[in-house]
């Protein structure tokens, strides 16, 4: 899994009745991937198990969105997000993700569970320029940590300018 994948700028789609499902451990390593995940991403299950979930991260995805996602689920809350993923081929696909923490009997977080479905096209079209701006902000700083902080602040300001919370923003798209 060390070979770098180059984006093709070709979008692929999955069936609207399909759900992409994966589970990870606390460090984000894949512990389960369903057939839909493997089919759209272009990997066999044995190839993704134990790998970081970021194996499907598209470079157009702002780190700020993942920061928001990880901050939320680490607090024990669910989060919804539109995500552009990259298949093994370099093709990309958009998803509407619902990510939740998984708990043990003592309510301790033991991993994470993500269900993804086909997103609303209008939402994707609305987010493309927002995500591009977030990536531009992240890349405009000499230091990755500063870039992430600036991008995350821009995202939070954009969200609260239009809606009281990130969840309300996402569901308004």
């Amino acid at each position: 899994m060390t070979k770098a994948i180059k984006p093709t700028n070709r979008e692929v789609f999955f069936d609207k009745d399909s759900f992409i499902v994966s589970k990870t451990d606390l460090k984000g390593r894949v512990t389960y991937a369903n057939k839909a995940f493997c089919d759209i991403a272009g990997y066999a299950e044995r190839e993704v198990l134990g790998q970081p979930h970021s194996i499907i991260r598209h470079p157009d995805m702002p780190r700020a969105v993942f920061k928001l996602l990880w901050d939320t689920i680490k607090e024990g809350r669910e989060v919804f997000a539109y995500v552009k993923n990259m298949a093994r081929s370099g093709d990309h696909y958009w998803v509407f993700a619902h990510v939740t923490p998984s708990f043990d009997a003592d309510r301790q977080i033991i991993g994470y569970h993500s269900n993804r479905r086909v997103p609303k096209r209008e939402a994707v079209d609305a987010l493309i320029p927002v995500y591009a701006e977030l990536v531009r902000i992240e890349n405009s700083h000499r230091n990755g940590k500063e870039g992430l902080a600036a991008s995350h602040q821009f995202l939070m300001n954009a969200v609260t300018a239009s809606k009281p919370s990130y969840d309300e923003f996402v569901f308004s798209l």
Side-chain angles (χ1 to χ4, degrees):
M1 295 297 164
T2 59
K3 181 183 171 196
I5 298 171
K6 184 177 178 185
T8 63
N9 294 319
R10 185 174 41 245
E11 185 169 5
V12 294
F13 302 90
F14 60 101
D15 188 276
K16 67 178 178 62
D17 294 326
S18 290
F19 283 88
I20 297 171
V21 180
S22 60
K23 295 180 182 181
T24 69
D25 63 16
L26 293 173
K27 295 188 186 270
R29 292 180 299 244
V30 177
T31 59
Y32 171 81
N34 74 345
K35 183 175 180 342
F37 177 105
C38 295
D39 288 348
I40 192 75
Y43 293 99
E45 182 183 34
R46 70 183 178 286
E47 293 177 299
V48 296
L49 293 180
Q51 295 296 318
H53 203 280
S54 60
I55 192 172
I56 59 169
R57 184 182 184 278
H58 194 284
D60 288 351
M61 270 306 294
R63 291 175 36 228
V65 172
F66 290 116
K67 176 180 175 13
L68 181 131
L69 187 147
W70 277 104
D71 288 353
T72 303
I73 61 176
K74 284 181 177 180
E75 290 174 358
R77 297 182 295 124
E78 68 183 349
V79 66
F80 292 86
Y82 287 90
V83 179
K84 182 179 185 179
N85 288 323
M86 186 165 60
R88 173 185 232 159
S89 63
D91 296 346
H92 68 272
Y93 57 100
W94 283 91
V95 298
F96 184 56
H98 175 216
V99 186
T100 63
S102 299
F103 299 96
D104 67 12
D106 296 323
R107 296 291 298 159
Q108 297 299 308
I109 298 173
I110 57 170
Y112 304 102
H113 184 118
S114 179
N115 294 311
R116 276 100 61 210
R117 61 180 178 238
V118 172
K120 293 191 300 187
R121 191 73 226 181
E122 315 82 60
V124 168
D125 292 342
L127 286 171
I128 288 172
V130 175
Y131 283 10
E133 179 61 11
L134 292 171
V135 170
R136 187 199 66 72
I137 291 168
E138 289 171 6
N139 293 335
S140 70
H141 289 75
R142 293 175 45 181
N143 166 312
K145 187 176 179 180
E146 291 173 8
L148 175 57
S151 177
H152 187 260
Q153 187 61 54
F154 180 90
L155 175 61
M156 294 296 89
N157 289 344
V159 165
T160 57
S162 64
K163 297 290 176 190
S165 73
Y166 177 78
D167 288 340
E168 289 180 79
F169 169 74
V170 166
F171 284 110
S172 73
L173 297 172

XYZ file of all heavy atoms in Angstrom, residues 5-13 58-61 84-94 121 128:
224
model
N -1.020 7.094 -5.231
C -2.061 7.068 -6.253
C -2.271 8.484 -6.746
O -2.400 9.421 -5.958
C -3.360 6.480 -5.683
C -3.120 5.037 -5.236
C -4.480 6.557 -6.712
C -4.270 4.440 -4.474
N -2.308 8.634 -8.049
C -2.503 9.951 -8.655
C -3.973 10.110 -9.048
O -4.532 9.251 -9.734
C -1.613 10.084 -9.886
C -1.681 11.435 -10.526
C -0.732 11.547 -11.699
C -0.918 12.932 -12.316
N -0.151 13.103 -13.511
N -4.613 11.214 -8.606
C -6.017 11.439 -8.974
C -6.190 11.547 -10.490
O -5.368 12.135 -11.186
C -6.354 12.772 -8.305
C -5.329 12.961 -7.247
C -4.093 12.264 -7.736
N -7.278 10.951 -10.984
C -7.568 10.971 -12.424
C -8.514 12.094 -12.820
O -8.685 12.349 -14.010
C -8.238 9.652 -12.847
O -9.504 9.539 -12.169
C -7.359 8.454 -12.562
N -9.170 12.719 -11.857
C -10.228 13.710 -12.109
C -11.454 13.088 -12.755
O -12.284 13.789 -13.318
C -9.718 14.901 -12.928
C -8.708 15.705 -12.162
O -8.875 15.942 -10.961
N -7.632 16.100 -12.825
N -11.573 11.765 -12.686
C -12.735 11.058 -13.223
C -13.603 10.635 -12.041
O -13.142 9.960 -11.115
C -12.277 9.843 -14.031
C -13.381 9.104 -14.737
C -12.859 7.982 -15.653
N -11.775 7.216 -15.071
C -10.519 7.173 -15.544
N -10.175 7.854 -16.624
N -9.598 6.432 -14.948
N -14.863 11.039 -12.085
C -15.780 10.684 -11.009
C -16.490 9.377 -11.334
O -16.902 9.157 -12.470
C -16.812 11.791 -10.785
C -17.726 11.534 -9.609
C -18.576 12.733 -9.214
O -18.535 13.766 -9.910
O -19.293 12.625 -8.201
N -16.611 8.534 -10.326
C -17.370 7.292 -10.459
C -18.514 7.328 -9.448
O -18.476 8.086 -8.473
C -16.487 6.042 -10.263
C -15.466 5.927 -11.387
C -15.787 6.055 -8.918
N -19.510 6.525 -9.711
C -20.721 6.553 -8.893
C -21.063 5.153 -8.411
O -20.673 4.169 -9.030
C -21.889 7.117 -9.715
C -21.617 8.497 -10.240
C -21.007 8.678 -11.479
C -21.928 9.612 -9.490
C -20.731 9.950 -11.963
C -21.651 10.890 -9.967
C -21.050 11.051 -11.205
N -8.941 11.523 -0.571
C -8.635 12.269 -1.798
C -7.900 13.557 -1.410
O -8.259 14.210 -0.432
C -9.920 12.609 -2.562
C -9.663 13.054 -3.946
N -9.183 14.305 -4.252
C -9.787 12.407 -5.132
C -9.031 14.418 -5.558
N -9.398 13.268 -6.123
N -6.868 13.950 -2.168
C -6.117 15.165 -1.815
C -6.940 16.451 -1.895
O -6.537 17.466 -1.328
C -4.948 15.180 -2.804
C -5.306 14.226 -3.876
C -6.278 13.247 -3.309
N -8.100 16.410 -2.540
C -8.975 17.588 -2.579
C -9.761 17.772 -1.283
O -10.416 18.797 -1.105
C -9.985 17.482 -3.727
C -9.362 17.658 -5.095
O -8.180 18.037 -5.193
O -10.070 17.401 -6.095
N -9.704 16.786 -0.399
C -10.445 16.894 0.857
C -9.647 17.719 1.857
O -8.502 17.408 2.164
C -10.702 15.509 1.455
C -11.980 14.857 1.012
S -13.480 15.826 1.256
C -13.603 15.940 3.030
N -15.191 13.536 -0.288
C -14.694 13.092 -1.593
C -13.601 12.059 -1.319
O -12.580 12.372 -0.709
C -14.124 14.281 -2.371
C -13.641 13.921 -3.762
C -13.124 15.179 -4.470
C -12.734 14.908 -5.902
N -12.265 16.157 -6.564
N -13.839 10.833 -1.756
C -12.884 9.743 -1.566
C -12.203 9.412 -2.882
O -12.698 9.761 -3.954
C -13.592 8.495 -1.041
C -14.030 8.636 0.391
O -13.340 9.242 1.198
N -15.178 8.077 0.710
N -11.085 8.702 -2.779
C -10.353 8.302 -3.977
C -10.199 6.788 -4.016
O -9.744 6.174 -3.055
C -8.976 8.967 -4.028
C -8.245 8.697 -5.337
S -6.830 9.792 -5.627
C -5.805 9.453 -4.228
N -10.569 6.226 -5.145
C -10.421 4.795 -5.373
C -8.969 4.470 -5.713
O -8.180 5.357 -6.042
C -11.341 4.356 -6.516
N -8.645 3.214 -5.660
C -7.305 2.731 -6.002
C -6.883 3.181 -7.400
O -5.704 3.426 -7.654
C -7.294 1.216 -5.916
C -6.019 0.591 -6.395
C -6.133 -0.917 -6.405
N -5.016 -1.456 -5.677
C -4.967 -2.642 -5.137
N -5.990 -3.450 -5.220
N -3.901 -3.043 -4.503
N -7.843 3.313 -8.308
C -7.576 3.718 -9.691
C -7.226 5.198 -9.822
O -6.765 5.633 -10.870
C -8.811 3.438 -10.550
O -9.901 4.236 -10.087
N -7.481 5.973 -8.772
C -7.308 7.425 -8.831
C -8.614 8.140 -9.121
O -8.695 9.363 -9.028
N -9.635 7.378 -9.505
C -10.966 7.962 -9.703
C -11.498 8.415 -8.344
O -11.039 7.951 -7.299
C -11.929 6.938 -10.292
C -11.530 6.471 -11.687
O -10.667 7.114 -12.324
O -12.093 5.453 -12.142
N -12.471 9.320 -8.354
C -13.040 9.773 -7.089
C -14.534 9.509 -7.034
O -15.176 9.318 -8.066
C -12.736 11.256 -6.829
C -13.441 12.181 -7.765
N -12.922 12.555 -8.980
C -14.640 12.818 -7.661
C -13.754 13.379 -9.581
N -14.810 13.556 -8.805
N -15.039 9.498 -5.820
C -16.468 9.322 -5.594
C -16.842 10.095 -4.339
O -16.087 10.175 -3.383
C -16.842 7.834 -5.474
C -16.120 7.083 -4.396
C -16.730 6.829 -3.167
C -14.827 6.608 -4.588
C -16.068 6.128 -2.167
C -14.158 5.903 -3.592
C -14.784 5.673 -2.388
O -14.125 4.993 -1.392
N -18.015 10.701 -4.384
C -18.522 11.470 -3.254
C -19.459 10.608 -2.427
O -20.191 9.772 -2.962
C -19.286 12.693 -3.754
C -18.400 13.792 -4.219
C -17.938 14.000 -5.483
C -17.870 14.851 -3.424
N -17.150 15.125 -5.525
C -17.098 15.665 -4.273
C -17.969 15.192 -2.075
C -16.426 16.803 -3.811
C -17.312 16.327 -1.616
C -16.559 17.113 -2.487
N -26.551 15.695 -5.084
C -25.645 16.351 -6.036
C -25.562 17.860 -5.777
O -24.496 18.455 -5.906
C -26.098 16.087 -7.472
C -25.061 16.504 -8.488
C -23.925 15.504 -8.448
N -22.639 16.171 -8.442
C -21.481 15.537 -8.428
N -21.435 14.235 -8.397
N -20.354 16.186 -8.412
N -17.999 21.926 -3.325
C -16.747 21.886 -4.097
C -15.954 23.183 -3.948
O -14.768 23.140 -3.606
C -16.999 21.489 -5.566
C -17.359 20.000 -5.646
C -15.797 21.810 -6.446
C -17.820 19.531 -7.020
